[in-house]
Amino acid sequence: MLYKPVIIEHIHEEVPGFKTFTFEEGHDIQYKGGQYITFVQQTTHEEIRRSYSIVSVPLLNEPLTVGVKRIENGAFSRQLIDHAMVGDRLLTTGAGGVFTLPDDTSNIHQVFFLAAGSGITPIYSLLKTVLHFHTHLNAVLIYSNTSPTTTIFLQQLEHLRQTFGNRFQLRFLFSNSTDLLTARLNRDFLTELTRIHSVCDFNHALFYTCGPEAYMRMCIYTLQEQGVPKENIRKETFVVHSKKATTAAPPDKEPHKVSIQYGTDLYELNVQYPDTILQAAKKQNILLPYSCETGRCGNCVAHCVEGKVWLSYNEVLTDKDLQNGLTLTCVGYPVGGDVLLKI
Ligand SMILES: Cc1cc2nc3c(=O)[nH]c(=O)nc-3n(C[C@H](O)[C@H](O)[C@H](O)COP(=O)(O)OP(=O)(O)OC[C@H]3O[C@@H](n4cnc5c(N)ncnc54)[C@H](O)[C@@H]3O)c2cc1C
Ligand code: FES
């Protein structure tokens, strides 16, 4: 796989410590609302990969743009925020991720977005996609920040509210507010907000959440407690840990042949536990898409066309995705025979 370069055309500081980076036309990156780009940087010791959610919407002819928050002591985000300049060329592995709308939304009436801080980035592009292109859907955004001055895309969201007011309900929550009952999202307040803003039963509503881990955990528990089907909730995790989340081993540790159709290329490799499919591919210098390598980001998603892949960990694919044959190469082992994957 060849890396896909992008050239910075424009940099804008949206709020202190958060910038958007817009790239020149002519890149070879196709994407959907809610996906991210993975950047690749070669250091003297290793290759580092970092993903940033795309805030633009291709169908609106917006130029490819990502949003980046400066992380204290962060290797890559500080490089981008403090030093990147217009004209700089960055390497990427293209767009990825499954934090997207389903192909068929005809059975859905409403989409709730629950965002905190820089978690707005993938949600902003999903929200615009819903409002502009899924006109039968009602949208609700509940967006938590410290104050209006730290709220990314505050004016743009207000503008969307003015434009789509009949279909779009927007609730800003500010944790520095003196009204403590509405300052922070908690279980009771989220229950009340979903009740106030719901226009249909939860079987016909989708929920997308992105923010700090504890925030998303609270949202997901609360929604499930209220009866939202697990299938209807999606989360995007920004903080990926370098450590494996589990040491679980596959039920079959025998070697199996894995064929991978990646675009127009076909690769064949023998995968033997303890290597995952991705690890076996890396050993043969086959460059597949990946980012976190721990089953948390969805960058390595593949379609299992033949055979069976057992996952040691999975934080991104829903039961429905798995039933539809999606799998993850970074935590995936072939079991019970040979496997054919398509990426
Ligand atoms: C699917 C996906 C989408 C993402 N989208 C975005 C996005 O749209 N905008 C964005 O700014 N970031 C996004 N991230 C996070 C981003 O990829 C980097 O992890 C982040 O910028 C830190 O990288 P770094 O090299 O600067 O810091 P590192 O050198 O990797 O880490 C430095 C320290 O900061 C901690 N840390 C890493 N990320 C965060 C965080 N987000 N908040 C608090 N602490 C953190 C790490 O645990 C570590 O201790 C996304 C990540 C994933 C997996
Ligand atoms: S690389 Fe992140 S889930 Fe596989």
Side-chain angles (χ1 to χ4, degrees):
M1 180 191 64
L2 291 177
Y3 294 133
K4 298 181 176 183
V6 289
I7 297 171
I8 301 176
E9 184 175 56
H10 185 67
I11 303 174
H12 180 64
E13 183 170 58
E14 305 283 342
V15 298
F18 182 94
K19 290 184 180 177
T20 45
F21 294 82
T22 300
F23 302 105
E24 288 181 5
E25 277 181 25
H27 57 75
D28 181 26
I29 297 179
Q30 278 89 42
Y31 63 97
K32 293 184 196 164
Q35 289 194 306
Y36 54 82
I37 302 181
T38 302
F39 293 95
V40 182
Q41 192 184 40
Q42 208 66 51
T43 70
T44 36
H45 322 287
E46 55 172 351
E47 180 188 88
I48 68 167
R49 294 187 174 204
R50 296 287 185 275
S51 302
Y52 293 95
S53 300
I54 300 169
V55 299
S56 48
V57 174
L59 292 169
L60 287 173
N61 287 328
E62 293 174 339
L64 177 65
T65 303
V66 295
V68 181
K69 175 181 158 184
R70 188 181 190 281
I71 299 291
E72 203 63 39
N73 301 321
F76 199 79
S77 62
R78 276 189 312 156
Q79 171 70 24
L80 278 178
I81 298 274
D82 297 350
H83 303 294
M85 297 205 302
V86 168
D88 284 357
R89 183 174 179 272
L90 307 173
L91 291 183
T92 82
T93 59
V98 291
F99 194 66
T100 52
L101 292 170
D103 291 339
D104 180 6
T105 56
S106 56
N107 198 27
I108 302 298
H109 305 319
Q110 184 168 35
V111 186
F112 277 84
F113 298 105
L114 308 170
S118 59
I120 190 67
T121 46
I123 282 183
Y124 185 44
S125 71
L126 278 172
L127 174 67
K128 286 186 286 181
T129 307
V130 164
L131 293 176
H132 284 278
F133 301 106
H134 296 258
T135 49
H136 67 290
L137 292 177
N138 180 291
V140 181
L141 169 62
I142 300 166
Y143 181 22
S144 299
N145 283 282
T146 316
S147 69
T149 50
T150 61
T151 301
I152 302 160
F153 305 137
L154 180 98
Q155 275 161 18
Q156 294 93 321
L157 290 167
E158 284 291 7
H159 182 69
L160 285 175
R161 168 156 53 189
Q162 279 162 23
T163 313
F164 296 99
N166 57 336
R167 287 175 45 225
F168 176 37
Q169 303 169 70
L170 174 61
R171 287 292 295 250
F172 289 116
L173 308 182
F174 299 120
S175 57
N176 74 351
S177 160
T178 46
D179 180 357
L180 295 183
L181 284 177
T182 59
R184 292 180 80 88
L185 197 64
N186 55 35
R187 182 172 160 271
D188 291 345
F189 192 28
L190 177 56
T191 305
E192 187 190 332
L193 287 176
T194 46
R195 188 183 52 75
I196 294 171
H197 294 293
S198 267
V199 296
C200 60
D201 78 64
F202 291 142
N203 291 316
H204 299 285
L206 297 176
F207 293 79
Y208 289 80
T209 181
C210 187
E213 275 299 295
Y215 167 90
M216 292 196 288
R217 215 170 21 244
M218 181 279 296
C219 291
I220 292 168
Y221 284 155
T222 307
L223 294 173
Q224 287 187 344
E225 224 174 50
Q226 287 181 73
V228 177
K230 220 168 105 192
E231 286 304 314
N232 293 17
I233 307 172
R234 287 252 177 218
K235 73 165 181 167
E236 185 73 310
T237 303
F238 278 7
V239 182
V240 288
H241 315 268
S242 54
K243 278 198 199 126
K244 273 188 176 179
T246 170
T247 50
D252 167 9
K253 296 183 185 151
E254 294 303 309
H256 294 292
K257 192 176 92 182
V258 176
S259 310
I260 303 176
Q261 172 130 34
Y262 184 20
T264 52
D265 297 322
L266 181 69
Y267 302 104
E268 292 199 338
L269 50 146
N270 265 318
V271 182
Q272 162 81 72
Y273 177 83
D275 283 346
T276 62
I277 296 171
L278 178 67
Q279 284 165 338
K282 281 170 107 179
K283 281 187 181 165
Q284 289 195 31
N285 292 323
I286 300 169
L287 278 180
L288 301 179
Y290 72 90
S291 181
C292 74
E293 296 184 78
T294 58
R296 291 180 171 105
C297 77
N299 203 323
C300 66
V301 73
H303 199 260
C304 182
V305 184
E306 280 171 31
K308 202 162 172 225
V309 176
W310 181 88
L311 301 182
S312 61
Y313 189 76
N314 165 30
E315 227 181 83
V316 275
L317 299 179
T318 62
D319 291 346
K320 199 166 175 190
D321 292 333
L322 296 169
Q323 276 161 23
N324 288 336
L326 295 187
T327 192
L328 302 172
T329 64
C330 74
V331 285
Y333 302 86
V335 288
D338 297 345
V339 163
L340 171 63
L341 300 180
K342 273 193 183 166
I343 296 181

